[in-house]
Amino acid sequence: MSEISETASGFVWQSSPPGSIYDYIRVASFSIGPDGLVEQWSRRAVDLFGVTAEEARGKDPVEAFMPADLRERGHRRVKEILDGKEWTGLVPFRMPGEEQPHGIAEMYVMPSETETGERAALCIVVDVRALRRIETDLAASQAIFGQSPFGFLLFGTDLTVKRANQRFATVFGGSADDHRGRTVHDYLARSEADRMTTALRRVLETGESVTDLQIVGAAPGARDRRHWSINLYRVHSGSGRPIGVAGLGIDVTRRHNAAREAASARRNLALLNEAGARIGNSLDLEATARELLDVAVPGFCDLASVDLYQGLLTGDEAPPGRWGSSHDVGYGAGSAELRRVAFASAVADTPLRTDEGHGPDSGCCGPVPIEVGAVHRYPFNSPCAGALRTGRIRTVPGADGELVQSTLIVPMVAHDTVVGLVQFSRAKGSEPFGERDRALAVELAARAAVCIDNARLYRREHERALILQRSLLPPGDPEAAGLDIACRYLPGTTATEVGGDWFDVIELPGHRTALVIGDVMGRGLRAAVAMGELRTAVRTLAQLDLEPAEVLSHLDEIARGLGAPIGTQQSRTQKSRGPELSEVYLATCVYAVYDPVTRRCTFANAGHLPPVLVEPGEEALLLDVPPGMPLGVGGEPFEEVEVELPEGALLALYTDGLVESRDHPLDEGLSAFRRALTDPARPLEDVCDRVLTSLDTGHGEDDIALLMARIQGLPTEAVGDWRLPREPRSVGRARELARTQLKAWDLEPLVDTVELLVSELVTNALRYGEGEIRLRLLRDRTLVCEVWDAGLVQPRRRRARDTDEGGRGLQLVGLLSSSWGSRRTPRGKTVWFELALPDGDGTAEPTVEQLLSMF
């Protein structure tokens, strides 16, 4: 198309730029005169046929351009045209000098007249191949534009819609022509329309395409938001001139939702993985609640809080959540007390006002903020109380004017027991909670609930084990003849389980003392119970006055019995699978027996750390006591070592918690322990305190037991020791020696009783024993009398019949003494009795009825 402009010289025709439709279809023209020869030949004809005007003018077009077999028909058509008929058709043509057709032209022939009135013709010729290409391009364009399953728009240079396809019209209404002249502001919200307009303008100006431009909007009459992926590219004319921007829109809402769901699933899985790693790392209830919120905020929600039952925190074993009766509808009625133990927020620093909590001082003013640590109740009809009652999650929308968009109220359920409540809230502007979020909230709360319940059960077990453990330790400061004793016991902190450390001081006949220290391997209530069983067994075995190695051998059998097959308690199913073992108990132990008369101590060790001895003026050393195998292993005998302890020496027994920790090896701990004992002359209590304060024991990691004894053997003047021949007069000699010694000790009130009892024991030794007889009197906190002989037959107390003339000696010993017994010795046996000193809490003299009851 041409344009006309006015200049100083007049009107001038200006050609439009190249690229018009005529350039594509290659229209040519020529004229035929009355004689049937070519008169005019256009330049387009030159391009189409490749023949110049000079070569074409004056020639017969039929003869020049048509194949030989078509010339006859061609002459007939030319004659008809010159007779005044129009004709349109396809004509094969050839190039001059060629016999074969070169192409096919679509020709339109119109009759005309010359100036003289003669008949002529005007011929319009189009190359059919160009037409076919145009038809193909138009068909392809129409197929892409009109039949595309995607929305297609063509924007002009003014950014208005020039053309829309039917798919676009189906989504946005009307016909395709109805959208002509519109802009993107007619379809999108302002913010999205501005983004689209900016992208269109940039593509039009720079020619750079835009791919996958994400646009969000809604179709007319629809509420759901749709997501489109827009691709923009600039469109040019045949001459390369920009004529607009083509836009292809693909609805990717499903893909977007699927991607969002996948991202949500990945986020939830990541949160669950993080929850598994971070929740429950401690056995503290409040710490576990804080760990839950650390995971949830801000990864899952914007605000969150945790309430636990007050009874749970105070150790009350009553079932939580005791609700009131239906008619009890007062303020806060129907709800057990809870304590806010944790709160976290990514958007605010103050507690929410949507908790519906009621504190003790809130009166009737409605919901109030709940501070961390506050004890409160939920109203009976509130969603929180309902969730606690039913154990089911609830969703509560936020109120107008508040920060919260919605809240998930999730009861914390562990083993079918509700232990508390967690609230997850999202602020306005965040994505609302979905079903997947509800499931995740329940899972997070359940995991935390199980950890909290485990912590509660652990705390209960820990407290019981601690009570059991402390009840089995010696009360107060133990006393022993010839020993100054001090002890310390430090249990592990509440962050660790109770251990099986124990120590004991047991009085033995003859003013001897058994010193025991042990450690049950393992922790918890089972270890404490095992410790109690072994400690009881040690005390029982000690009363039998066995040798230390024998005591450990019996303890080993007992420890192995604790781990024996369950046997009769097995069910048929268990029996079919074979014997099931209970927990195997292993323990280490040192058992030592100290004789204050000889100041000799006999040690036996079952896998325990060696005792430490500090002699006056010397450095502390580890006693070379064969360690043996721990109790419960079995199969190996235990060895004894006898050590003479000098007066004033310091003996220390201890457990590994004192000298071993994660940060220091055992050798360093033992060396530090020995250095801490460099001043044993100080008071024994001060020595214990110095040891505990100077050693880096890592208190709390393990229990610590420390038993220390300073040697103070019985003085020579407190011992009377005589040997008597095996003859009847030795009975009288024994009475005389006892009477003389008691008078020397100013114990005249005991003379008659001791003479009588010594006479009975020496008489029994002569009658039933063997070998030489030995009589020994020991004076310390009590008076002990011992009669030794080489016989192995142990005395047995029996009740004499009324007609018996004897058999009442041991009855008399048992009646008049505070205690009596017998024990084996390496060369026979010893029978002994003990009497309280007159200035002590003496045993009451026997009544006449008691004495007569023996006869």
Side-chain angles (χ1 to χ4, degrees), residues 198-234:
T198 301
L200 287 169
R201 185 172 290 111
R202 184 171 65 252
V203 171
L204 188 61
E205 293 175 354
T206 65
E208 296 180 357
S209 301
V210 171
T211 58
D212 198 21
L213 175 65
Q214 296 294 317
I215 295 295
V216 179
R223 293 184 178 180
D224 57 327
R225 303 197 324 168
R226 311 297 295 176
H227 294 261
W228 291 287
S229 173
I230 306 298
N231 298 289
L232 303 175
Y233 58 93
R234 193 168 67 181

mmCIF file of all heavy atoms in Angstrom, residues 198-234:
data_model
loop_
_atom_site.group_PDB
_atom_site.id
_atom_site.type_symbol
_atom_site.label_atom_id
_atom_site.label_comp_id
_atom_site.label_asym_id
_atom_site.label_seq_id
_atom_site.Cartn_x
_atom_site.Cartn_y
_atom_site.Cartn_z
ATOM 1 N N THR A 198 5.105 -5.066 31.366
ATOM 2 C CA THR A 198 6.548 -4.815 31.345
ATOM 3 C C THR A 198 7.264 -5.845 30.491
ATOM 4 O O THR A 198 8.158 -5.513 29.699
ATOM 5 C CB THR A 198 7.095 -4.828 32.774
ATOM 6 O OG1 THR A 198 6.428 -3.832 33.553
ATOM 7 C CG2 THR A 198 8.591 -4.562 32.783
ATOM 8 N N ALA A 199 6.855 -7.111 30.630
ATOM 9 C CA ALA A 199 7.483 -8.162 29.825
ATOM 10 C C ALA A 199 7.179 -7.985 28.345
ATOM 11 O O ALA A 199 8.068 -8.151 27.486
ATOM 12 C CB ALA A 199 7.002 -9.533 30.313
ATOM 13 N N LEU A 200 5.929 -7.620 27.978
ATOM 14 C CA LEU A 200 5.581 -7.391 26.577
ATOM 15 C C LEU A 200 6.405 -6.255 25.988
ATOM 16 O O LEU A 200 6.915 -6.355 24.857
ATOM 17 C CB LEU A 200 4.089 -7.077 26.464
ATOM 18 C CG LEU A 200 3.116 -8.246 26.655
ATOM 19 C CD1 LEU A 200 1.687 -7.731 26.771
ATOM 20 C CD2 LEU A 200 3.225 -9.215 25.482
ATOM 21 N N ARG A 201 6.521 -5.197 26.747
ATOM 22 C CA ARG A 201 7.257 -4.033 26.234
ATOM 23 C C ARG A 201 8.729 -4.369 26.038
ATOM 24 O O ARG A 201 9.359 -3.967 25.056
ATOM 25 C CB ARG A 201 7.079 -2.860 27.201
ATOM 26 C CG ARG A 201 7.703 -1.567 26.677
ATOM 27 C CD ARG A 201 7.344 -0.387 27.573
ATOM 28 N NE ARG A 201 5.918 -0.053 27.453
ATOM 29 C CZ ARG A 201 5.008 -0.231 28.401
ATOM 30 N NH1 ARG A 201 5.387 -0.749 29.560
ATOM 31 N NH2 ARG A 201 3.747 0.090 28.204
ATOM 32 N N ARG A 202 9.281 -5.151 26.965
ATOM 33 C CA ARG A 202 10.692 -5.514 26.835
ATOM 34 C C ARG A 202 10.919 -6.409 25.624
ATOM 35 O O ARG A 202 11.905 -6.271 24.901
ATOM 36 C CB ARG A 202 11.157 -6.223 28.110
ATOM 37 C CG ARG A 202 12.661 -6.545 28.104
ATOM 38 C CD ARG A 202 13.143 -7.032 29.445
ATOM 39 N NE ARG A 202 12.557 -8.308 29.819
ATOM 40 C CZ ARG A 202 11.650 -8.476 30.758
ATOM 41 N NH1 ARG A 202 11.210 -7.406 31.436
ATOM 42 N NH2 ARG A 202 11.156 -9.672 31.034
ATOM 43 N N VAL A 203 10.012 -7.356 25.396
ATOM 44 C CA VAL A 203 10.147 -8.232 24.223
ATOM 45 C C VAL A 203 10.020 -7.431 22.943
ATOM 46 O O VAL A 203 10.772 -7.633 21.977
ATOM 47 C CB VAL A 203 9.087 -9.351 24.283
ATOM 48 C CG1 VAL A 203 9.070 -10.141 22.980
ATOM 49 C CG2 VAL A 203 9.368 -10.277 25.448
ATOM 50 N N LEU A 204 9.071 -6.486 22.887
ATOM 51 C CA LEU A 204 8.864 -5.693 21.683
ATOM 52 C C LEU A 204 10.068 -4.810 21.396
ATOM 53 O O LEU A 204 10.452 -4.612 20.239
ATOM 54 C CB LEU A 204 7.598 -4.838 21.842
ATOM 55 C CG LEU A 204 7.123 -4.085 20.601
ATOM 56 C CD1 LEU A 204 6.784 -5.058 19.475
ATOM 57 C CD2 LEU A 204 5.919 -3.206 20.929
ATOM 58 N N GLU A 205 10.688 -4.291 22.446
ATOM 59 C CA GLU A 205 11.809 -3.370 22.254
ATOM 60 C C GLU A 205 13.119 -4.091 21.981
ATOM 61 O O GLU A 205 13.925 -3.621 21.177
ATOM 62 C CB GLU A 205 11.948 -2.485 23.489
ATOM 63 C CG GLU A 205 10.784 -1.524 23.700
ATOM 64 C CD GLU A 205 10.895 -0.749 25.003
ATOM 65 O OE1 GLU A 205 11.836 -1.065 25.778
ATOM 66 O OE2 GLU A 205 10.068 0.148 25.247
ATOM 67 N N THR A 206 13.356 -5.203 22.665
ATOM 68 C CA THR A 206 14.665 -5.866 22.544
ATOM 69 C C THR A 206 14.656 -7.073 21.619
ATOM 70 O O THR A 206 15.715 -7.479 21.128
ATOM 71 C CB THR A 206 15.149 -6.325 23.925
ATOM 72 O OG1 THR A 206 14.259 -7.327 24.423
ATOM 73 C CG2 THR A 206 15.177 -5.157 24.904
ATOM 74 N N GLY A 207 13.495 -7.659 21.390
ATOM 75 C CA GLY A 207 13.434 -8.873 20.584
ATOM 76 C C GLY A 207 13.830 -10.124 21.331
ATOM 77 O O GLY A 207 13.833 -11.223 20.767
ATOM 78 N N GLU A 208 14.153 -9.987 22.616
ATOM 79 C CA GLU A 208 14.527 -11.153 23.412
ATOM 80 C C GLU A 208 13.269 -11.844 23.928
ATOM 81 O O GLU A 208 12.402 -11.206 24.529
ATOM 82 C CB GLU A 208 15.418 -10.750 24.589
ATOM 83 C CG GLU A 208 16.751 -10.168 24.163
ATOM 84 C CD GLU A 208 17.597 -9.774 25.363
ATOM 85 O OE1 GLU A 208 17.098 -9.915 26.506
ATOM 86 O OE2 GLU A 208 18.731 -9.314 25.168
ATOM 87 N N SER A 209 13.192 -13.138 23.708
ATOM 88 C CA SER A 209 12.008 -13.879 24.116
ATOM 89 C C SER A 209 11.963 -14.041 25.635
ATOM 90 O O SER A 209 12.990 -14.005 26.319
ATOM 91 C CB SER A 209 11.986 -15.255 23.449
ATOM 92 O OG SER A 209 11.985 -15.119 22.044
ATOM 93 N N VAL A 210 10.763 -14.235 26.146
ATOM 94 C CA VAL A 210 10.544 -14.519 27.567
ATOM 95 C C VAL A 210 9.880 -15.888 27.654
ATOM 96 O O VAL A 210 8.857 -16.136 27.012
ATOM 97 C CB VAL A 210 9.651 -13.447 28.226
ATOM 98 C CG1 VAL A 210 9.267 -13.881 29.642
ATOM 99 C CG2 VAL A 210 10.360 -12.109 28.244
ATOM 100 N N THR A 211 10.463 -16.780 28.430
ATOM 101 C CA THR A 211 9.900 -18.124 28.585
ATOM 102 C C THR A 211 9.527 -18.366 30.036
ATOM 103 O O THR A 211 10.206 -17.910 30.958
ATOM 104 C CB THR A 211 10.909 -19.186 28.130
ATOM 105 O OG1 THR A 211 12.120 -19.055 28.898
ATOM 106 C CG2 THR A 211 11.248 -19.020 26.654
ATOM 107 N N ASP A 212 8.441 -19.063 30.222
ATOM 108 C CA ASP A 212 7.960 -19.509 31.543
ATOM 109 C C ASP A 212 7.798 -18.339 32.514
ATOM 110 O O ASP A 212 8.268 -18.383 33.645
ATOM 111 C CB ASP A 212 8.913 -20.556 32.123
ATOM 112 C CG ASP A 212 8.247 -21.356 33.239
ATOM 113 O OD1 ASP A 212 7.009 -21.392 33.294
ATOM 114 O OD2 ASP A 212 8.981 -21.932 34.070
ATOM 115 N N LEU A 213 7.124 -17.314 32.041
ATOM 116 C CA LEU A 213 6.754 -16.208 32.930
ATOM 117 C C LEU A 213 5.532 -16.652 33.732
ATOM 118 O O LEU A 213 4.475 -16.923 33.173
ATOM 119 C CB LEU A 213 6.439 -14.949 32.117
ATOM 120 C CG LEU A 213 5.911 -13.746 32.913
ATOM 121 C CD1 LEU A 213 6.970 -13.237 33.873
ATOM 122 C CD2 LEU A 213 5.475 -12.622 31.961
ATOM 123 N N GLN A 214 5.690 -16.734 35.059
ATOM 124 C CA GLN A 214 4.628 -17.243 35.913
ATOM 125 C C GLN A 214 3.649 -16.126 36.255
ATOM 126 O O GLN A 214 4.012 -15.119 36.848
ATOM 127 C CB GLN A 214 5.217 -17.834 37.207
ATOM 128 C CG GLN A 214 6.106 -19.044 36.983
ATOM 129 C CD GLN A 214 5.328 -20.237 36.454
ATOM 130 O OE1 GLN A 214 4.232 -20.531 36.918
ATOM 131 N NE2 GLN A 214 5.908 -20.920 35.465
ATOM 132 N N ILE A 215 2.400 -16.323 35.853
ATOM 133 C CA ILE A 215 1.346 -15.351 36.090
ATOM 134 C C ILE A 215 0.227 -16.045 36.865
ATOM 135 O O ILE A 215 -0.152 -17.179 36.553
ATOM 136 C CB ILE A 215 0.799 -14.787 34.760
ATOM 137 C CG1 ILE A 215 1.895 -14.004 34.037
ATOM 138 C CG2 ILE A 215 -0.408 -13.900 35.007
ATOM 139 C CD1 ILE A 215 2.352 -12.756 34.774
ATOM 140 N N VAL A 216 -0.297 -15.336 37.857
ATOM 141 C CA VAL A 216 -1.369 -15.872 38.689
ATOM 142 C C VAL A 216 -2.606 -15.016 38.479
ATOM 143 O O VAL A 216 -2.532 -13.777 38.493
ATOM 144 C CB VAL A 216 -0.976 -15.881 40.178
ATOM 145 C CG1 VAL A 216 -2.125 -16.430 41.032
ATOM 146 C CG2 VAL A 216 0.284 -16.703 40.383
ATOM 147 N N GLY A 217 -3.736 -15.663 38.273
ATOM 148 C CA GLY A 217 -4.983 -14.932 38.085
ATOM 149 C C GLY A 217 -6.161 -15.870 38.214
ATOM 150 O O GLY A 217 -6.021 -17.032 38.611
ATOM 151 N N ALA A 218 -7.333 -15.347 37.896
ATOM 152 C CA ALA A 218 -8.552 -16.148 37.971
ATOM 153 C C ALA A 218 -9.387 -15.908 36.725
ATOM 154 O O ALA A 218 -9.468 -14.783 36.221
ATOM 155 C CB ALA A 218 -9.346 -15.799 39.225
ATOM 156 N N ALA A 219 -9.978 -16.970 36.227
ATOM 157 C CA ALA A 219 -10.867 -16.840 35.081
ATOM 158 C C ALA A 219 -12.157 -16.131 35.511
ATOM 159 O O ALA A 219 -12.544 -16.186 36.684
ATOM 160 C CB ALA A 219 -11.181 -18.216 34.510
ATOM 161 N N PRO A 220 -12.835 -15.439 34.562
ATOM 162 C CA PRO A 220 -14.075 -14.735 34.922
ATOM 163 C C PRO A 220 -15.092 -15.684 35.543
ATOM 164 O O PRO A 220 -15.359 -16.768 35.023
ATOM 165 C CB PRO A 220 -14.562 -14.177 33.576
ATOM 166 C CG PRO A 220 -13.332 -14.077 32.733
ATOM 167 C CD PRO A 220 -12.464 -15.217 33.153
ATOM 168 N N GLY A 221 -15.650 -15.274 36.691
ATOM 169 C CA GLY A 221 -16.659 -16.077 37.371
ATOM 170 C C GLY A 221 -16.107 -17.212 38.200
ATOM 171 O O GLY A 221 -16.875 -17.956 38.807
ATOM 172 N N ALA A 222 -14.797 -17.373 38.260
ATOM 173 C CA ALA A 222 -14.192 -18.450 39.040
ATOM 174 C C ALA A 222 -13.476 -17.866 40.251
ATOM 175 O O ALA A 222 -12.935 -16.763 40.188
ATOM 176 C CB ALA A 222 -13.210 -19.255 38.192
ATOM 177 N N ARG A 223 -13.487 -18.608 41.353
ATOM 178 C CA ARG A 223 -12.835 -18.145 42.573
ATOM 179 C C ARG A 223 -11.428 -18.704 42.736
ATOM 180 O O ARG A 223 -10.594 -18.094 43.393
ATOM 181 C CB ARG A 223 -13.672 -18.552 43.784
ATOM 182 C CG ARG A 223 -15.017 -17.841 43.874
ATOM 183 C CD ARG A 223 -15.731 -18.233 45.168
ATOM 184 N NE ARG A 223 -17.002 -17.539 45.300
ATOM 185 C CZ ARG A 223 -17.832 -17.685 46.333
ATOM 186 N NH1 ARG A 223 -17.503 -18.522 47.319
ATOM 187 N NH2 ARG A 223 -18.968 -17.016 46.372
ATOM 188 N N ASP A 224 -11.211 -19.874 42.181
ATOM 189 C CA ASP A 224 -9.901 -20.477 42.376
ATOM 190 C C ASP A 224 -8.858 -19.777 41.533
ATOM 191 O O ASP A 224 -9.104 -19.379 40.396
ATOM 192 C CB ASP A 224 -9.946 -21.969 42.023
ATOM 193 C CG ASP A 224 -10.417 -22.196 40.596
ATOM 194 O OD1 ASP A 224 -11.246 -21.393 40.133
ATOM 195 O OD2 ASP A 224 -9.952 -23.160 39.947
ATOM 196 N N ARG A 225 -7.702 -19.636 42.128
ATOM 197 C CA ARG A 225 -6.590 -18.987 41.434
ATOM 198 C C ARG A 225 -5.939 -19.978 40.492
ATOM 199 O O ARG A 225 -5.724 -21.133 40.822
ATOM 200 C CB ARG A 225 -5.564 -18.458 42.436
ATOM 201 C CG ARG A 225 -6.168 -17.491 43.435
ATOM 202 C CD ARG A 225 -5.128 -16.665 44.151
ATOM 203 N NE ARG A 225 -3.896 -17.370 44.447
ATOM 204 C CZ ARG A 225 -2.780 -16.762 44.856
ATOM 205 N NH1 ARG A 225 -2.777 -15.449 45.002
ATOM 206 N NH2 ARG A 225 -1.694 -17.442 45.132
ATOM 207 N N ARG A 226 -5.639 -19.470 39.288
ATOM 208 C CA ARG A 226 -4.984 -20.291 38.281
ATOM 209 C C ARG A 226 -3.559 -19.806 38.093
ATOM 210 O O ARG A 226 -3.248 -18.634 38.300
ATOM 211 C CB ARG A 226 -5.732 -20.221 36.934
ATOM 212 C CG ARG A 226 -7.224 -20.426 37.014
ATOM 213 C CD ARG A 226 -7.579 -21.803 37.521
ATOM 214 N NE ARG A 226 -7.155 -22.856 36.622
ATOM 215 C CZ ARG A 226 -7.281 -24.158 36.884
ATOM 216 N NH1 ARG A 226 -7.812 -24.534 38.041
ATOM 217 N NH2 ARG A 226 -6.882 -25.061 36.013
ATOM 218 N N HIS A 227 -2.720 -20.716 37.690
ATOM 219 C CA HIS A 227 -1.319 -20.397 37.420
ATOM 220 C C HIS A 227 -1.047 -20.671 35.941
ATOM 221 O O HIS A 227 -1.374 -21.755 35.429
ATOM 222 C CB HIS A 227 -0.399 -21.247 38.291
ATOM 223 C CG HIS A 227 -0.519 -20.951 39.756
ATOM 224 N ND1 HIS A 227 0.366 -20.132 40.419
ATOM 225 C CD2 HIS A 227 -1.436 -21.355 40.670
ATOM 226 C CE1 HIS A 227 0.015 -20.063 41.687
ATOM 227 N NE2 HIS A 227 -1.075 -20.794 41.871
ATOM 228 N N TRP A 228 -0.503 -19.645 35.245
ATOM 229 C CA TRP A 228 -0.175 -19.792 33.834
ATOM 230 C C TRP A 228 1.316 -19.582 33.622
ATOM 231 O O TRP A 228 1.949 -18.735 34.274
ATOM 232 C CB TRP A 228 -0.940 -18.766 32.986
ATOM 233 C CG TRP A 228 -2.416 -19.027 32.930
ATOM 234 C CD1 TRP A 228 -3.063 -20.018 32.253
ATOM 235 C CD2 TRP A 228 -3.442 -18.264 33.587
ATOM 236 N NE1 TRP A 228 -4.411 -19.929 32.437
ATOM 237 C CE2 TRP A 228 -4.690 -18.858 33.244
ATOM 238 C CE3 TRP A 228 -3.444 -17.135 34.413
ATOM 239 C CZ2 TRP A 228 -5.890 -18.372 33.706
ATOM 240 C CZ3 TRP A 228 -4.647 -16.646 34.883
ATOM 241 C CH2 TRP A 228 -5.859 -17.268 34.537
ATOM 242 N N SER A 229 1.828 -20.353 32.681
ATOM 243 C CA SER A 229 3.203 -20.159 32.232
ATOM 244 C C SER A 229 3.136 -19.472 30.868
ATOM 245 O O SER A 229 2.593 -20.023 29.902
ATOM 246 C CB SER A 229 3.923 -21.506 32.122
ATOM 247 O OG SER A 229 5.195 -21.340 31.528
ATOM 248 N N ILE A 230 3.660 -18.254 30.762
ATOM 249 C CA ILE A 230 3.559 -17.431 29.556
ATOM 250 C C ILE A 230 4.903 -17.410 28.836
ATOM 251 O O ILE A 230 5.951 -17.187 29.450
ATOM 252 C CB ILE A 230 3.130 -15.990 29.904
ATOM 253 C CG1 ILE A 230 1.843 -16.008 30.729
ATOM 254 C CG2 ILE A 230 2.953 -15.177 28.635
ATOM 255 C CD1 ILE A 230 0.645 -16.598 30.017
ATOM 256 N N ASN A 231 4.832 -17.640 27.496
ATOM 257 C CA ASN A 231 6.010 -17.515 26.635
ATOM 258 C C ASN A 231 5.733 -16.402 25.623
ATOM 259 O O ASN A 231 4.704 -16.428 24.930
ATOM 260 C CB ASN A 231 6.293 -18.824 25.909
ATOM 261 C CG ASN A 231 6.603 -19.960 26.874
ATOM 262 O OD1 ASN A 231 7.656 -19.978 27.490
ATOM 263 N ND2 ASN A 231 5.668 -20.893 27.025
ATOM 264 N N LEU A 232 6.629 -15.447 25.518
ATOM 265 C CA LEU A 232 6.466 -14.290 24.646
ATOM 266 C C LEU A 232 7.616 -14.230 23.651
ATOM 267 O O LEU A 232 8.779 -14.466 24.023
ATOM 268 C CB LEU A 232 6.426 -12.998 25.472
ATOM 269 C CG LEU A 232 5.337 -12.903 26.578
ATOM 270 C CD1 LEU A 232 5.524 -11.627 27.384
ATOM 271 C CD2 LEU A 232 3.954 -12.952 25.965
ATOM 272 N N TYR A 233 7.278 -13.893 22.392
ATOM 273 C CA TYR A 233 8.320 -13.657 21.396
ATOM 274 C C TYR A 233 7.806 -12.635 20.381
ATOM 275 O O TYR A 233 6.612 -12.509 20.131
ATOM 276 C CB TYR A 233 8.732 -14.956 20.690
ATOM 277 C CG TYR A 233 7.606 -15.682 20.000
ATOM 278 C CD1 TYR A 233 7.319 -15.462 18.647
ATOM 279 C CD2 TYR A 233 6.836 -16.602 20.700
ATOM 280 C CE1 TYR A 233 6.294 -16.130 18.011
ATOM 281 C CE2 TYR A 233 5.796 -17.275 20.068
ATOM 282 C CZ TYR A 233 5.532 -17.040 18.723
ATOM 283 O OH TYR A 233 4.513 -17.700 18.099
ATOM 284 N N ARG A 234 8.743 -11.894 19.820
ATOM 285 C CA ARG A 234 8.386 -10.818 18.882
ATOM 286 C C ARG A 234 8.094 -11.392 17.503
ATOM 287 O O ARG A 234 8.759 -12.320 17.053
ATOM 288 C CB ARG A 234 9.512 -9.789 18.811
ATOM 289 C CG ARG A 234 9.115 -8.498 18.122
ATOM 290 C CD ARG A 234 10.160 -7.423 18.342
ATOM 291 N NE ARG A 234 11.419 -7.726 17.680
ATOM 292 C CZ ARG A 234 12.491 -6.936 17.746
ATOM 293 N NH1 ARG A 234 12.435 -5.815 18.467
ATOM 294 N NH2 ARG A 234 13.598 -7.267 17.135
#
